[in-house]
Coordinates of all heavy atoms in Angstrom, one line a residue:
V711 N 2.7 8.3 33.7 CA 1.9 7.5 32.8 C 1.1 8.3 31.9 O 0.4 9.2 32.3 CB 1.1 6.4 33.5 CG1 0.2 5.7 32.5 CG2 1.9 5.5 34.4
D712 N 1.2 8.2 30.6 CA 0.4 8.8 29.6 C -0.9 8.2 29.5 O -1.2 7.3 28.8 CB 1.1 8.8 28.3 CG 0.4 9.7 27.2 OD1 -0.8 10.0 27.5 OD2 1.0 10.1 26.2
A715 N -2.7 8.1 26.0 CA -2.1 7.1 25.1 C -2.5 5.6 25.5 O -2.8 4.8 24.7 CB -0.5 7.2 25.1
L716 N -2.5 5.4 26.9 CA -2.9 4.1 27.3 C -4.3 3.7 26.9 O -4.6 2.6 26.5 CB -2.7 4.0 28.9 CG -1.3 3.7 29.3 CD1 -1.3 3.7 30.9 CD2 -0.6 2.5 28.9
H717 N -5.3 4.6 27.1 CA -6.6 4.6 26.8 C -6.8 4.3 25.3 O -7.6 3.5 24.9 CB -7.4 5.8 27.2 CG -8.9 5.6 27.1 ND1 -9.6 5.8 25.9 CD2 -9.8 5.2 27.9 CE1 -10.9 5.6 26.1 NE2 -11.0 5.2 27.3
Q718 N -6.0 5.0 24.5 CA -6.1 4.8 23.0 C -5.6 3.5 22.7 O -6.2 2.8 21.8 CB -5.3 6.0 22.3 CG -5.4 5.8 20.8 CD -4.7 7.1 20.1 OE1 -4.1 7.8 20.9 NE2 -4.7 7.1 18.8
N719 N -4.5 3.0 23.2 CA -3.9 1.8 22.8 C -4.8 0.5 23.3 O -4.9 -0.4 22.6 CB -2.5 1.6 23.6 CG -1.8 0.4 23.0 OD1 -1.7 0.3 21.8 ND2 -1.1 -0.2 23.9
T720 N -5.5 0.8 24.4 CA -6.4 -0.4 24.8 C -7.9 -0.1 24.5 O -8.7 -1.0 24.8 CB -6.3 -0.5 26.3 OG1 -6.6 0.7 27.0 CG2 -4.7 -0.8 26.7
W723 N -10.3 -0.8 27.2 CA -10.6 -2.2 27.7 C -10.0 -2.3 29.1 O -8.8 -2.1 29.3 CB -9.9 -3.1 26.7 CG -9.9 -4.6 27.0 CD1 -10.9 -5.3 27.6 CD2 -8.8 -5.5 26.9 NE1 -10.4 -6.5 28.0 CE2 -9.2 -6.7 27.4 CE3 -7.5 -5.4 26.3 CZ2 -8.4 -7.8 27.3 CZ3 -6.9 -6.5 26.2 CH2 -7.1 -7.8 26.8
A725 N -9.3 -4.7 31.4 CA -8.2 -5.7 31.5 C -6.9 -5.2 30.9 O -5.8 -5.3 31.3 CB -8.6 -7.0 31.0
G726 N -7.0 -4.6 29.7 CA -5.9 -4.1 28.9 C -5.2 -2.9 29.7 O -4.1 -2.9 29.7
L727 N -6.1 -2.0 30.2 CA -5.5 -0.9 30.9 C -4.7 -1.4 32.2 O -3.7 -0.9 32.5 CB -6.7 0.0 31.4 CG -7.2 0.9 30.4 CD1 -8.5 1.6 30.8 CD2 -6.2 2.0 29.9
R728 N -5.3 -2.3 32.9 CA -4.6 -2.9 34.2 C -3.4 -3.6 33.8 O -2.4 -3.4 34.4 CB -5.6 -3.9 34.8 CG -5.0 -4.6 36.1 CD -6.0 -5.3 36.7 NE -5.4 -5.9 38.0 CZ -5.1 -5.4 39.1 NH1 -5.4 -4.0 39.2 NH2 -4.6 -5.9 40.1
L729 N -3.3 -4.4 32.7 CA -2.1 -5.1 32.3 C -1.1 -4.0 31.9 O 0.2 -4.2 32.1 CB -2.4 -6.0 31.2 CG -3.1 -7.3 31.6 CD1 -3.6 -8.0 30.4 CD2 -2.1 -8.3 32.3
S730 N -1.4 -3.0 31.1 CA -0.5 -1.9 30.9 C 0.1 -1.3 32.0 O 1.4 -1.0 32.0 CB -1.2 -0.9 29.9 OG -1.7 -1.5 28.7
L731 N -0.7 -1.0 33.1 CA -0.1 -0.4 34.2 C 0.7 -1.2 34.9 O 1.9 -0.9 35.5 CB -1.4 0.2 35.2 CG -2.1 1.2 34.6 CD1 -3.4 1.4 35.4 CD2 -1.3 2.6 34.5
V732 N 0.4 -2.6 35.1 CA 1.3 -3.5 35.6 C 2.7 -3.6 35.0 O 3.8 -3.7 35.5 CB 0.7 -4.9 35.7 CG1 1.7 -6.0 36.1 CG2 -0.5 -4.9 36.7
A733 N 2.6 -3.6 33.6 CA 3.8 -3.6 32.8 C 4.7 -2.4 33.1 O 5.9 -2.5 33.3 CB 3.6 -3.7 31.3
L734 N 4.0 -1.3 33.1 CA 4.8 0.0 33.3 C 5.4 0.1 34.7 O 6.5 0.6 34.9 CB 4.0 1.1 33.0 CG 3.7 1.4 31.5 CD1 2.7 2.4 31.3 CD2 4.9 1.6 30.7
K735 N 4.7 -0.5 35.8 CA 5.2 -0.4 37.1 C 6.4 -1.5 37.3 O 7.3 -1.1 38.0 CB 4.1 -0.9 38.0 CG 3.1 0.3 38.3 CD 2.0 -0.2 39.3 CE 1.0 1.0 39.4 NZ -0.2 0.5 40.4
T736 N 6.2 -2.6 36.6 CA 7.3 -3.7 36.6 C 8.6 -3.1 35.9 O 9.7 -3.3 36.5 CB 6.8 -4.9 35.9 OG1 5.6 -5.3 36.5 CG2 7.9 -6.0 36.1
R737 N 8.4 -2.4 34.8 CA 9.5 -1.9 34.1 C 9.3 -0.4 33.7 O 8.8 -0.1 32.5 CB 9.8 -2.7 32.8 CG 10.3 -4.1 33.0 CD 11.8 -4.2 33.3 NE 12.5 -3.6 32.1 CZ 12.8 -4.4 31.1 NH1 12.3 -5.6 31.0 NH2 13.4 -3.9 30.0
P738 N 9.5 0.4 34.6 CA 9.1 2.0 34.4 C 9.7 2.5 33.2 O 9.2 3.4 32.6 CB 9.6 2.6 35.7 CG 9.7 1.5 36.7 CD 10.0 0.3 35.9
G739 N 10.9 2.0 32.8 CA 11.5 2.6 31.6 C 11.1 1.9 30.3 O 11.5 2.3 29.3
G740 N 10.2 0.9 30.4 CA 9.8 0.1 29.2 C 9.0 1.0 28.2 O 8.4 1.9 28.6
R741 N 9.1 0.8 27.0 CA 8.4 1.4 26.0 C 7.0 0.9 25.8 O 6.8 -0.4 25.7 CB 9.0 1.4 24.6 CG 10.3 2.2 24.5 CD 11.1 2.0 23.2 NE 10.2 2.1 22.1 CZ 10.4 1.6 20.9 NH1 11.4 0.8 20.7 NH2 9.5 1.8 19.9
R742 N 6.0 1.7 25.8 CA 4.6 1.3 25.8 C 4.3 0.3 24.6 O 3.5 -0.6 24.7 CB 3.6 2.5 25.6 CG 2.2 2.1 25.7 CD 1.4 3.4 25.8 NE 1.7 4.2 24.7 CZ 1.1 4.1 23.5 NH1 0.3 3.1 23.3 NH2 1.4 4.9 22.5
G743 N 4.9 0.5 23.5 CA 4.6 -0.1 22.3 C 5.4 -1.5 22.2 O 5.1 -2.3 21.4
T744 N 6.2 -1.8 23.1 CA 6.9 -3.1 23.1 C 6.5 -3.9 24.5 O 6.0 -5.0 24.3 CB 8.4 -2.9 23.1 OG1 8.8 -2.0 24.1 CG2 8.8 -2.3 21.8
L745 N 6.9 -3.3 25.6 CA 6.7 -4.0 26.8 C 5.3 -4.4 27.1 O 4.8 -5.5 27.3 CB 7.3 -3.3 28.0 CG 7.3 -4.0 29.4 CD1 8.0 -5.2 29.4 CD2 7.8 -3.1 30.5
T746 N 4.4 -3.3 27.1 CA 3.0 -3.5 27.5 C 2.3 -4.4 26.4 O 1.4 -5.2 26.7 CB 2.3 -2.2 27.6 OG1 2.3 -1.6 26.3 CG2 2.9 -1.4 28.7
D747 N 2.5 -4.2 25.1 CA 2.0 -5.0 24.1 C 2.3 -6.5 24.3 O 1.4 -7.4 24.1 CB 2.5 -4.7 22.7 CG 1.8 -3.3 22.2 OD1 0.9 -2.8 22.9 OD2 2.2 -2.8 21.2
R748 N 3.5 -6.9 24.8 CA 3.8 -8.3 25.1 C 3.0 -8.8 26.2 O 2.4 -9.9 26.1 CB 5.3 -8.4 25.5 CG 5.7 -9.7 25.8 CD 7.2 -9.8 26.0 NE 7.6 -9.2 27.2 CZ 7.5 -9.4 28.4 NH1 6.9 -10.6 28.8 NH2 7.9 -8.7 29.4
Y749 N 2.7 -8.0 27.2 CA 1.8 -8.4 28.3 C 0.4 -8.5 27.8 O -0.2 -9.6 28.1 CB 1.7 -7.3 29.4 CG 2.9 -7.4 30.5 CD1 4.2 -7.0 30.3 CD2 2.6 -7.9 31.8 CE1 5.1 -7.1 31.2 CE2 3.6 -8.0 32.8 CZ 4.7 -7.6 32.4 OH 5.8 -7.7 33.4
L750 N -0.1 -7.6 27.0 CA -1.5 -7.8 26.4 C -1.5 -8.9 25.5 O -2.6 -9.7 25.5 CB -1.8 -6.5 25.7 CG -1.9 -5.3 26.6 CD1 -2.0 -4.0 25.7 CD2 -3.2 -5.3 27.6
F751 N -0.5 -9.2 24.6 CA -0.6 -10.4 23.6 C -0.6 -11.6 24.5 O -1.3 -12.6 24.2 CB 0.6 -10.3 22.9 CG 0.6 -9.3 21.7 CD1 1.6 -9.0 20.7 CD2 -0.6 -8.3 21.6 CE1 1.6 -8.1 19.8 CE2 -0.7 -7.4 20.6 CZ 0.4 -7.2 19.7
D752 N 0.2 -11.7 25.5 CA 0.3 -13.0 26.3 C -1.0 -13.3 26.9 O -1.5 -14.3 27.1 CB 1.4 -12.8 27.4 CG 2.8 -12.9 26.9 OD1 3.0 -13.2 25.7 OD2 3.8 -12.6 27.6
Y753 N -1.6 -12.2 27.4 CA -3.0 -12.3 28.2 C -4.0 -12.7 27.1 O -4.7 -13.7 27.4 CB -3.4 -11.0 28.7 CG -4.8 -11.1 29.4 CD1 -5.1 -11.6 30.6 CD2 -5.9 -10.7 28.6 CE1 -6.3 -11.7 31.1 CE2 -7.1 -10.8 29.1 CZ -7.3 -11.3 30.4 OH -8.6 -11.4 30.9
L754 N -4.0 -12.2 25.9 CA -5.0 -12.5 25.0 C -4.8 -13.9 24.5 O -5.8 -14.7 24.3 CB -4.9 -11.6 23.7 CG -5.5 -10.2 24.0 CD1 -5.1 -9.2 22.9 CD2 -7.0 -10.3 24.0
L822 N -5.7 -4.6 19.4 CA -4.9 -5.6 20.2 C -5.2 -7.0 19.9 O -4.2 -7.8 19.8 CB -5.0 -5.2 21.7 CG -4.4 -3.9 22.2 CD1 -4.9 -3.7 23.6 CD2 -3.0 -3.9 22.0
A826 N -2.8 -9.6 17.9 CA -2.4 -10.9 18.6 C -2.8 -12.1 17.7 O -1.9 -12.9 17.5 CB -3.2 -11.1 19.8

Side-chain angles (χ1 to χ4, degrees):
V711 174
D712 187 340
L716 283 177
H717 188 275
Q718 183 177 358
N719 193 41
T720 61
W723 173 37
L727 283 168
R728 180 172 177 77
L729 286 165
S730 295
L731 290 170
V732 168
L734 290 172
K735 286 179 180 179
T736 304
R737 292 278 299 278
R741 291 172 53 203
R742 182 176 58 83
T744 54
L745 180 64
T746 60
D747 283 355
R748 181 174 59 79
Y749 273 79
L750 294 168
F751 287 178
D752 289 348
Y753 175 85
L754 286 166
L822 291 169

